[in-house]
Amino acid sequence: IFAAVAKLRRRVLKHQDARVKMINDLLTGIRIIKFYAWEKPFLGEVGNVREEELKALTTLTLVMLVGFTAILFAAPIIQIILVFMTYVLTEEGALSASVAFTTVALFNMMRFPFAILPMGFLQWIQAQIGINRMQKYLELPELTTYVVDGKDPDREDEQDAGSISMRLCSFAWTDGSE
């Protein structure tokens, strides 16, 4: 169950990243979008990305609901059965009522901590995914400096301070099909 939750969580994060990137791009070019009245087409694109994100989120939620409900209700019963089976197979004497009722009482006291344990595992999985994403980001190579503030070291006169200078540049216009 936890492996499936981790896989689905990564899928949800992939869709969230795509949506956030699209929204950032839209906000960056909002003047042009408004100028050409492209709101509806872009709204449809954002809606499609959000719909995919919601599908992934719904699947994740259903898996968590079914999986953790099964663990929450089945685990205490299975634990008690396994403990009694182990007791009967390893002990010489028969299982007495006092031992059985004491065991059941102790397991009922531990039911809440056992119920919280899967949620703790889920939080741990989500933390691991977040740490891995931050690690990938932090391990990216440093960007080279393209813009340098200050005086141009190749110029001696300060008359053109603040001007733009470019060296060894080549420019091309592409149609984006490359």
Side-chain angles (χ1 to χ4, degrees):
I1 292 175
F2 295 110
V5 167
K7 181 180 175 184
L8 290 170
R9 183 69 184 151
R10 281 197 272 313
R11 197 170 102 199
V12 167
L13 287 174
K14 184 182 88 171
H15 290 298
Q16 282 178 343
D17 289 346
R19 180 181 51 85
V20 168
K21 182 183 181 310
M22 182 178 284
I23 295 294
N24 283 339
D25 292 345
L26 290 174
L27 290 175
T28 301
I30 194 69
R31 285 186 180 184
I32 293 176
I33 292 170
K34 288 288 194 182
F35 182 73
Y36 287 107
W38 289 341
E39 293 96 341
K40 287 185 181 179
F42 281 104
L43 182 64
E45 288 296 317
V46 171
N48 292 339
V49 171
R50 180 67 179 147
E51 188 175 319
E52 290 297 317
E53 179 186 358
L54 285 175
K55 285 180 187 176
L57 197 56
T58 302
T59 305
L60 172 66
T61 305
L62 289 174
V63 167
M64 286 174 43
L65 176 72
V66 171
F68 292 136
T69 301
I71 289 173
L72 182 66
F73 290 114
I77 295 168
I78 293 171
Q79 288 170 344
I80 291 174
I81 291 171
L82 291 175
V83 166
F84 287 153
M85 283 177 44
T86 305
Y87 182 85
V88 168
L89 294 174
T90 59
E91 290 297 315
E92 297 282 329
L95 180 63
S96 66
S98 63
V99 171
F101 286 121
T102 304
T103 305
V104 170
L106 289 174
F107 272 99
N108 280 335
M109 287 173 33
M110 294 188 314
R111 178 174 267 178
F112 182 72
F114 284 140
I116 297 298
L117 193 61
M119 289 180 250
F121 282 137
L122 177 64
Q123 294 300 317
W124 181 77
I125 288 169
Q126 290 180 356
Q128 285 297 112
I129 291 170
I131 288 170
N132 290 340
R133 290 178 62 157
M134 286 191 302
Q135 184 176 1
K136 285 180 187 176
Y137 173 74
L138 292 174
E139 290 176 351
L140 288 173
E142 292 293 327
L143 296 176
T144 58
T145 306
Y146 293 106
V147 177
V148 179
D149 292 334
K151 183 180 167 190
D152 187 352
D154 295 337
R155 298 199 61 158
E156 293 181 13
D157 60 336
E158 297 199 21
Q159 180 180 357
D160 294 330
S163 64
I164 297 174
S165 62
M166 294 183 237
R167 287 183 222 102
L168 304 172
C169 299
S170 61
F171 301 94
W173 183 270
T174 62
D175 62 357
S177 63
E178 297 176 14

